[in-house]
Amino acid sequence: MRRHELPRTHAAGRTYLVTGSTSGIGYFIAEQLARTGAHVILTARTAGKAELAQRAIRHSWPQAQLSTLSLDLADLSSVRAAAGHLATFADRLDGVVLNAGVLAQQTRRETVDGHELVYGTNHLGHFAFAAQIYPLLQNTLDSRIVTMSSYAARWATLDLTDLESSRAPYRGFATYKRSKLAQTIFAFELDRRLRRGQSSVSSLLAHPGGALDALSPKRPPMPVATTAQVLRARPLSLIAQGKDKAAWSAVRAVLDPQAHGGQLWGPRFLRSKGEPRQERPTAAMTDRVVAEQLWQLSEDATGVKWPSLSQPRRL
Ligand SMILES: NC(=O)c1ccc[n+]([C@@H]2O[C@H](COP(=O)([O-])OP(=O)(O)OC[C@H]3O[C@@H](n4cnc5c(N)ncnc54)[C@H](OP(=O)(O)O)[C@@H]3O)[C@@H](O)[C@H]2O)c1
């Protein structure tokens, strides 16, 4: 399946959920999935942004089937409530894209539950959310969990004794890289556990390359980049792309019948832009010993235990 064929993929009758779909790459993943005829659930922190994103998708695709779910990954009670609410209106879930993310912070900040903000949102929030919506995925034949990684995860090393960057000095980009590596290690470990359990659910990974709002097409009534931002971004288009194109890897991991669990998809050109292709992970991403420990530490930190991944219950 080539990317220009994506809009022709028919996924009517399926339901997909995309975290962080009120802006950026997540918005475009949701828009592209909606164009397949699927029901797409957008997660949002604020009702206003959810409304804008829905209007923008319907502006270009009036027949889009959309719902929204309130979700703040930096608040584990919101994560629990969102999973509970989802179960009241969705009876199937064919795929979830764990896309939302906070980028590098200047200073150390914390989530509502007292975890370091970037690790707590990107990894712990998604770890807990995916565990709590897993029963819906398990009840849907051949469903997929797609985790949004980053090329930055390639340059990171995980320190299991300081996952929350408590030791001074706080380094924002190093913390961000580690959070993406933690998500990546989690997604590969989830794939191994699902296979061991002979589950029909798959865990795949995607990364968007380098993506900038200022290189993305306008989506009224969503906010647009200023002319100055667009002009500044132009030279970067040599190595970066718009967030519409950055969405392709995740959309492909969700939809492509040839894609399967344990694969990592990313842009073809310098891992930074272009059509998606399958990539080889680094050794750190697939380290089983670290993954086992990270899983346990994540369950301890969130107080959320993953259900058994073995028995295949299907709709
Ligand atoms: N852009 C890149 O070059 C790049 C490169 C590698 C990987 N990535 C990854 O790609 C993903 C999307 O990046 P992006 O550039 O599209 O970022 P973005 O434009 O900043 O969008 C991030 C999205 O995540 C949501 N979000 C942030 N904190 C949240 C929370 N506590 N709970 C729920 N949702 C939350 C935001 O919601 P609001 O709209 O409410 O703020 C927004 O929808 C991230 O996982 C990022 O790590 C991006």
Side-chain angles (χ1 to χ4, degrees):
M1 184 170 63
R2 294 173 67 79
R3 53 104 179 151
H4 63 266
E5 291 174 331
L6 283 176
R8 290 209 299 273
T9 302
H10 294 294
R14 296 196 201 157
T15 300
Y16 299 113
L17 182 149
V18 184
T19 69
S21 33
T22 47
S23 47
I25 299 164
Y27 166 81
F28 285 102
I29 296 171
E31 183 192 276
Q32 289 166 27
L33 291 175
R35 293 176 80 95
T36 66
H39 169 209
V40 180
I41 302 167
L42 294 87
T43 81
R45 289 191 285 184
T46 60
K49 278 195 157 186
E51 172 64 22
L52 277 188
Q54 289 205 55
R55 278 172 51 200
I57 293 176
R58 291 209 169 96
H59 185 78
S60 65
W61 198 249
Q63 63 271 53
Q65 286 185 65
L66 306 171
S67 305
T68 55
L69 181 70
S70 172
L71 171 68
D72 183 351
L73 290 161
D75 178 350
L76 292 170
S77 68
S78 164
V79 170
R80 192 169 48 249
H85 185 210
L86 179 65
T88 65
F89 72 90
D91 56 4
R92 62 180 297 131
L93 194 53
D94 297 86
V96 55
V97 186
L98 306 177
N99 159 80
V102 269
L103 306 182
Q105 305 290 302
Q106 304 254 315
T107 54
R108 192 179 185 284
R109 296 168 57 201
E110 293 190 344
T111 65
V112 171
D113 308 282
H115 298 291
E116 188 282 325
L117 182 72
V118 179
Y119 176 75
T121 306
N122 297 357
H123 173 60
L124 293 179
H126 277 132
F127 179 89
F129 183 60
Q132 290 172 94
I133 63 170
Y134 180 73
L136 258 181
L137 290 151
Q138 191 187 29
N139 275 339
T140 311
L141 187 62
D142 295 333
S143 58
R144 296 181 180 188
I145 301 172
V146 176
T147 298
M148 188 61 98
S149 181
S150 167
Y151 54 75
R154 295 191 164 266
W155 313 321
T157 34
L158 211 60
D159 179 353
L160 289 170
T161 67
D162 190 26
L163 288 169
E164 306 217 9
S165 303
S166 302
R167 284 187 214 126
Y170 179 78
R171 293 198 174 88
F173 190 56
T175 299
Y176 170 74
K177 282 191 299 187
R178 285 197 298 264
S179 78
K180 298 310 287 184
L181 178 57
Q183 287 188 268
T184 306
I185 290 172
F186 152 73
F188 280 117
E189 174 65 11
L190 180 59
D191 167 60
R192 287 188 292 270
R193 290 182 183 223
L194 290 167
R195 282 169 198 255
R196 272 204 303 273
Q198 297 186 312
S199 172
S200 83
V201 184
S202 311
S203 168
L204 299 91
L205 299 95
H207 80 87
L212 295 170
D213 289 307
L215 295 175
S216 313
K218 293 180 184 153
R219 285 296 187 264
M222 306 251 295
V224 290
T226 63
T227 309
Q229 286 168 330
V230 172
L231 290 175
R232 272 201 304 276
R234 261 190 205 154
L236 295 171
S237 64
L238 287 173
I239 49 156
Q241 57 189 347
K243 293 191 173 179
D244 54 327
K245 297 184 175 72
W248 290 344
S249 304
V251 171
R252 178 131 184 201
V254 172
L255 292 178
D256 189 343
Q258 308 301 324
H260 55 78
Q263 291 180 342
L264 167 63
W265 289 84
R268 184 171 296 273
F269 180 69
L270 297 175
R271 294 200 177 99
S272 126
K273 59 183 282 189
E275 288 185 31
R277 60 153 191 196
Q278 216 185 303
E279 274 184 24
R280 278 167 75 105
T282 62
M285 290 173 174
T286 53
D287 187 319
R288 290 166 188 241
V289 178
V290 170
E292 290 274 349
Q293 293 177 60
L294 177 67
W295 193 284
Q296 187 58 55
L297 290 166
S298 305
E299 286 193 343
D300 295 347
T302 57
V304 174
K305 224 177 150 40
W306 271 73
S308 160
L309 301 182
S310 55
Q311 78 279 22
R313 282 165 38 201
R314 288 163 193 171
L315 287 179

